[in-house]
Amino acid sequence: MFKRVVRQSKFRHVFGQAVKNDQCYDDIRVSRVTWDSAFCAVNPKFVAIIVEASGGGAFMVLPLHKSGRIDKAYPTVCGHTGPVLDIDWCPHNDQVIASGSEDCTVMVWQIPENGLVTSMSEPVVVLEGHSKRVGIVTWHPTARNVLLSAGCDNVVIIWNVGTGEAMITLEDMHPDIIFSVCWNRNGSLICTACKDKKIRVIDPRKEEIIAEKDKAHEGARPMRAIFLSDGKVFTTGFSRMSERQLGLWDPDNMEEPVSVHEMDTSNGVLLPFYDPDTNVVYLCGKGDSSIRYFEITDEAPFVHYLNTFTTKEPQRGMGYMPKRGLDVNKCEIARFYKLHERKCEPIIMTVPRKSDLFQDDLYPDTAGPEAPLEAEEWIEGKNGDPILISLKHGYIPGKNRDLKVVKKNILDNKMSKNTENTPEHCPTDTPMLLT
């Protein structure tokens, strides 16, 4: 019986490369707040980074081309009264970003098309409902204007950003701090990792836990859980001996893991980034100086180690570019934005190929920016898979559809402040259109 020593995979030779210094973003005071989020969010237009702010919370939004040294006086998004803990770009509008903060609020911002000229302190909408700091914000993958937030009050709230109202509040499911929340591919389910060492798969509209696993990782340090495109759940955590682990679980049978790997004894939380098109998971440990990547397949051992990209400097956080923001002509299959103490450094992952032609095996159709569902349709029970686009000729951004916010009750007083930004043809008592 001969065992094939080297598994065939087109991603076996993926290699990482940091860009040259002049393509980094320098002199940024990255936040020092103690919280295990990525501190960085990226899309094809902007990179957003949570920064140090005196007397409040702020994050910086830089157009991708604005590399080099960033002026100390560069404008920030600074409406929060406490440190910002998490930020997330809307997948359906590259100018809309949400932020969660220690001030217990979630804010949604519309960034001008060419970036900030002056600091921004007025969000489009403030979402108030958490009684403790908000550490997680994540947009619905396929329904427009649906945003999930999770706070240290152990509550998950799903908002309709278009009305500023909470549609779903999941209150009694988590007895302790929620470490991570992730939507599945069509946004019908969420999976959560909690300090009580349980992984839960939840149907948010039915407000039901449909699968859970106690002690998915037995160590006390934080876990992470993400959905893969086939519905399985991938987790990172710690063993009882404080070794870092990764696990693969099938929600239809959570008793035994599909696969568990011990990795090392470092103590940084492993942040997983997943590419559904190639089934590659990238693990970035906070405080590590490496990115490990694995391919997930249907054959044992299911999680296959590919390689490690190593640098000298430890990472404070990490941003991950959506597929439509990559350079397909250079066979780039992932791009990370690594946060150092004072700078942000892009890292490019490439599959070496001899041909200059479009490599369609590396770039199957990927999720585009168009939302198949409206918030109202989703809450009524409809599901929609992502609308896919081809990257054959590169990604050509369309015009961003305006974010409509129907100002109601508590938001009415903000309306008057925003009237000068309202287009002339739009009277202030109709939904405000932000271009």
Side-chain angles (χ1 to χ4, degrees), residues 102-171:
E102 275 194 17
D103 65 12
C104 308
T105 67
V106 175
M107 293 183 179
V108 178
W109 310 84
Q110 177 122 2
I111 306 299
E113 193 161 351
N114 299 314
L116 297 175
V117 184
T118 57
S119 284
M120 184 180 269
S121 57
E122 281 289 314
V124 179
V125 65
V126 182
L127 305 173
E128 293 175 302
H130 287 285
S131 58
K132 288 190 179 169
R133 61 188 182 157
V134 181
I136 297 169
V137 287
T138 176
W139 291 91
H140 193 286
T142 58
R144 193 187 318 277
N145 289 350
V146 175
L147 177 67
L148 178 149
S149 63
C152 291
D153 50 7
N154 314 335
V155 173
V156 173
I157 301 179
I158 297 173
W159 307 87
N160 181 344
V161 173
T163 60
E165 294 172 327
M167 298 189 286
I168 295 167
T169 304
L170 306 175
E171 276 181 295

